[in-house]
Amino acid sequence: MNRWQNLWRFIPLFGLMMMLLTGCGHDTISALKPRGPVARDQLFLMKLSLGIMILVVVVVFAIYVYVLIRFRKKKGDKDIIPKQVEGSHTLEIIWTVVPILLLLILAVPTVSYTVKLSENHINDKDAVHVKVTAHQFWWQFEYPELGIATAQDLVIPAGKKIAFEITSADVLHAFWIPSLGGKQDTNVGMTNVFYLEADDADTFMGKCAELCGASHALMDFKVVSKTEADFNKWVEKMKTPATIPADAKNGEQIFKDNCLSCHAVNAQGLGFGPNLNGFASREMVAGILPHDDESIKKWIKDPQSVKPGNKMPQIPLQDNQINDLVKYLDSLK
Ligand code: CUA
């Protein structure tokens, strides 16, 4: 019994630790550190609603405590029943009008921001149109007007509206870039439209925010925001076929024999698996492993050990074939 009592003493400590840990986070994955206009608008709404809630709680509790103290039976008070009051017009007006005012203060910006943030910018000349398709457990990004397609790294120009059309190839996922705003469901057979914008060049983290299978928690992607000049360079690079060095030719053949049926390596190709054009310049391997040769080998050898439930088959290749394949993938810059 004594031991349990000692353990109970730690509960406030754990509570404090929990509060401290929830303060931990990274600049590139926090809705509380907005890095674009949409995320800032959404944070404003969060602060406004939280502010109103705190105000209501503080006022109600202050009145409650005041009444408890002011009207309690004091020593020497006679045992009498106080005057009974039935209804008060003044009070009724106050507690009807005040909530109406608070709701108006909350509703007007909420509705106007909701309308503003769901604007369709797909046909804007200044916006970049990106079609997002969620797959178990990776992300496909198409830029129809630019004639390119990629996966896992969403490359965008900073300071421009990115007009998204998002959908899913299999089950329900949700597309979320906490630093830039979000989140939106990706539904099968349906397209959701919205836009985001990044203030400056940086790399942000993207997540799937809907339980979608065994590797839901590993369904990460990166958002690489570039200056407009760098973005245009990237587009040109993506359209230029990679030069394959002589020592990667063997790997290229292995790729053609085993991988090409699912993975496109040209500018616009879409397949059952992610397009690998520009793969060597991507931030991560499979969205979660550091981008190095060891990770690529680990992924090819046993994809299920990295992302359980994913649809990449384990291809029976010898170690030297895998080395050659990695050489080829490294040349896809
Ligand atoms: Cu896709 Cu969770």
Side-chain angles (χ1 to χ4, degrees):
M1 186 64 197
N2 227 344
R3 186 180 281 177
W4 283 109
Q5 275 173 346
N6 281 336
L7 274 178
W8 279 108
R9 284 188 195 169
F10 284 103
I11 285 181
L13 182 69
F14 286 136
L16 193 68
M17 275 166 65
M18 194 178 75
M19 279 193 266
L20 277 174
L21 286 173
T22 50
C24 296
H26 200 270
D27 274 5
T28 61
I29 182 164
S30 173
L32 302 177
K33 289 177 181 166
R35 301 288 300 275
V38 175
R40 263 194 299 281
D41 286 353
Q42 291 175 343
L43 182 62
F44 166 75
L45 289 180
M46 281 192 252
K47 284 180 177 169
L48 179 71
S49 48
L50 197 66
I52 291 175
M53 283 187 264
I54 290 171
L55 179 77
V56 170
V57 168
V58 167
V59 170
V60 168
F61 270 78
I63 295 172
Y64 173 66
V65 171
Y66 169 78
V67 169
L68 271 186
I69 294 167
R70 169 77 178 73
F71 297 104
R72 81 186 197 280
K73 192 179 167 194
K74 294 173 199 80
K75 248 185 198 170
D77 275 1
K78 279 184 197 142
D79 215 3
I80 50 158
I81 293 173
K83 187 186 152 203
Q84 298 298 293
V85 181
E86 276 179 36
S88 157
H89 276 303
T90 319
L91 280 178
E92 276 164 23
I93 288 170
I94 289 174
W95 67 52
T96 308
V97 170
V98 170
I100 289 176
L101 287 178
L102 290 178
L103 282 179
L104 279 177
I105 294 172
L106 189 62
V108 171
T110 304
V111 172
S112 81
Y113 278 50
T114 305
V115 172
K116 182 181 142 195
L117 298 182
S118 55
E119 279 168 8
N120 184 339
H121 288 282
I122 286 169
N123 296 317
D124 279 15
K125 279 195 180 127
D126 283 340
V128 175
H129 175 198
V130 180
K131 282 182 171 181
V132 178
T133 309
H135 298 255
Q136 281 174 322
F137 300 94
W138 59 280
W139 298 88
Q140 171 182 295
F141 307 112
E142 289 169 79
Y143 303 68
E145 282 77 17
L146 302 175
I148 50 177
T150 186
Q152 296 301 76
D153 276 17
L154 169 64
V155 181
I156 57 168
K160 272 196 162 189
K161 283 197 173 76
I162 314 300
F164 291 107
E165 265 184 292
I166 64 172
T167 189
S168 168
D170 37 44
V171 298
L172 183 66
H173 304 267
F175 180 76
W176 190 26
I177 309 166
S179 303
L180 305 186
K183 56 192 116 143
Q184 290 277 344
D185 279 354
T186 67
N187 303 296
V188 184
M190 205 182 118
T191 305
N192 281 336
V193 173
F194 73 114
Y195 73 93
L196 296 174
E197 186 180 329
D199 289 330
D200 42 20
D202 202 345
T203 302
F204 306 104
M205 208 167 156
K207 295 290 268 178
C208 175
E210 186 72 56
L211 188 60
C212 57
S215 285
H216 151 72
L218 306 174
M219 194 171 157
D220 292 356
F221 62 102
K222 287 282 187 286
V223 182
V224 184
S225 159
K226 293 177 182 282
T227 60
E228 202 172 347
D230 284 349
F231 176 75
N232 292 335
K233 270 187 217 161
W234 174 79
V235 173
E236 282 318 305
K237 259 192 176 172
M238 289 293 285
K239 287 178 173 176
T240 320
T243 27
I244 310 302
D247 67 343
K249 291 283 181 196
N250 204 13
E252 187 179 21
Q253 194 53 50
I254 296 169
F255 186 88
K256 279 180 181 162
D257 294 343
N258 296 283
C259 319
L260 197 59
S261 52
C262 293
H263 295 282
V265 280
N266 57 0
Q268 299 193 55
L270 299 173
F272 180 70
N275 182 320
L276 296 179
N277 186 24
F279 170 80
S281 309
R282 284 189 195 157
E283 297 279 325
M284 312 293 270
V285 169
I288 45 169
L289 298 175
H291 197 118
D292 54 35
D293 289 355
E294 285 317 302
S295 301
I296 305 174
K297 285 178 196 169
K298 188 178 174 188
W299 173 250
I300 297 171
K301 270 188 187 163
D302 189 4
Q304 292 302 323
S305 73
V306 180
K307 265 188 186 179
N310 84 82
K311 289 167 186 163
M312 162 114 169
Q314 195 170 359
I315 295 162
L317 293 171
Q318 306 294 324
D319 277 357
N320 62 329
Q321 287 177 303
I322 290 182
N323 289 342
D324 284 347
L325 194 53
V326 171
K327 258 185 210 154
Y328 168 68
L329 291 170
D330 283 341
S331 71
L332 298 175
K333 291 191 175 111

